[in-house]
Amino acid sequence: MASRLKHIDSENASYEQQAVIERLGKGRGRIPTPFNIWLHNPRLADGMETIGTHIGGSPILSKEESEVAILSTAVFWNASYVTANHRRHALKAGVPEVVVNDILDKRRPEAGDGRLGLICDAVCSILAGGVIDDTRFARFETELGRSVIAELLVVVGYFSAVSLGMNLHALEPKD
């Protein structure tokens, strides 16, 4: 299936689209692929840029924890494009390869930092509908804290949108 992604040519972009494109260029040095979807609605693209920038520089989650949450979300949605990209990002961030492989195989990571497994559990619980029993929630609250739970909700929401967008627009992973 051919990609359905329709890039917005910056020369033909509206004033609002140009503003977001400029902001992305200054902040990220490029236009990340999902923004080719969101730029068709520049106000949405602007908001998503704010959230994406926050996630990318999270003061709450380490790079490893963010990548475990992102990868777990992408795998849940069977988003091959996002999974391939964030597999590389996770390894670069220092997530042990065995943990990455467990997530790709839809298994709870047993190796490495136990916190990464707990992050994965929390993300999978959120994606399972958010209906989490009191005992499980208490464990997440005690071991991760409410600020991490809040952060994970945003990461899951944002990367669900990214994953679903990439799937809808039939993007395949780059080799």
Side-chain angles (χ1 to χ4, degrees), residues 16-43:
E16 292 85 7
Q17 290 167 326
Q18 275 289 0
V20 177
I21 290 168
E22 185 177 318
R23 187 168 156 201
L24 286 166
K26 285 182 182 173
R28 297 175 184 235
R30 62 185 181 83
I31 307 226
T33 303
F35 284 89
N36 291 293
I37 299 168
W38 300 326
L39 276 167
H40 293 277
N41 180 338
R43 186 169 181 208

Side-chain angles (χ1 to χ4, degrees), residues 22-166:
E22 185 177 318
R23 187 168 156 201
L24 286 166
K26 285 182 182 173
R28 297 175 184 235
R30 62 185 181 83
I31 307 226
T33 303
F35 284 89
N36 291 293
I37 299 168
W38 300 326
L39 276 167
H40 293 277
N41 180 338
R43 186 169 181 208
L44 173 67
D46 190 53
M48 293 300 273
E49 195 282 327
T50 299
I51 295 167
T53 297
H54 171 81
I55 291 169
S58 174
I60 304 297
L61 297 174
S62 69
K63 287 286 186 200
E64 296 92 340
E65 291 168 344
S66 289
E67 288 302 329
V68 163
I70 293 165
L71 192 58
S72 298
T73 302
V75 167
F76 176 85
W77 290 114
N78 299 310
S80 59
Y81 182 91
V82 182
T83 299
N85 283 343
H86 283 279
R87 177 190 178 282
R88 287 189 296 271
H89 291 306
L91 292 170
K92 185 177 177 182
V95 178
E97 188 168 6
V98 67
V99 171
V100 170
N101 290 336
D102 282 347
I103 293 168
L104 295 176
D105 292 336
K106 298 184 178 183
R107 291 191 311 261
R108 183 194 188 281
E110 295 296 333
D113 184 356
R115 186 170 164 98
L116 294 180
L118 191 57
I119 295 280
C120 188
D121 280 351
V123 167
C124 291
S125 295
I126 291 165
L127 286 165
V131 180
I132 300 168
D133 64 49
D134 289 343
T135 303
R136 194 170 188 79
F137 183 85
R139 181 172 179 229
F140 295 152
E141 180 180 28
T142 300
E143 294 184 36
L144 297 173
R146 288 198 176 246
S147 63
V148 170
I149 293 168
E151 193 83 6
L152 289 175
L153 286 168
V154 171
V155 171
V156 167
Y158 182 86
F159 277 94
S160 287
V162 170
S163 295
L164 292 169
M166 298 297 98

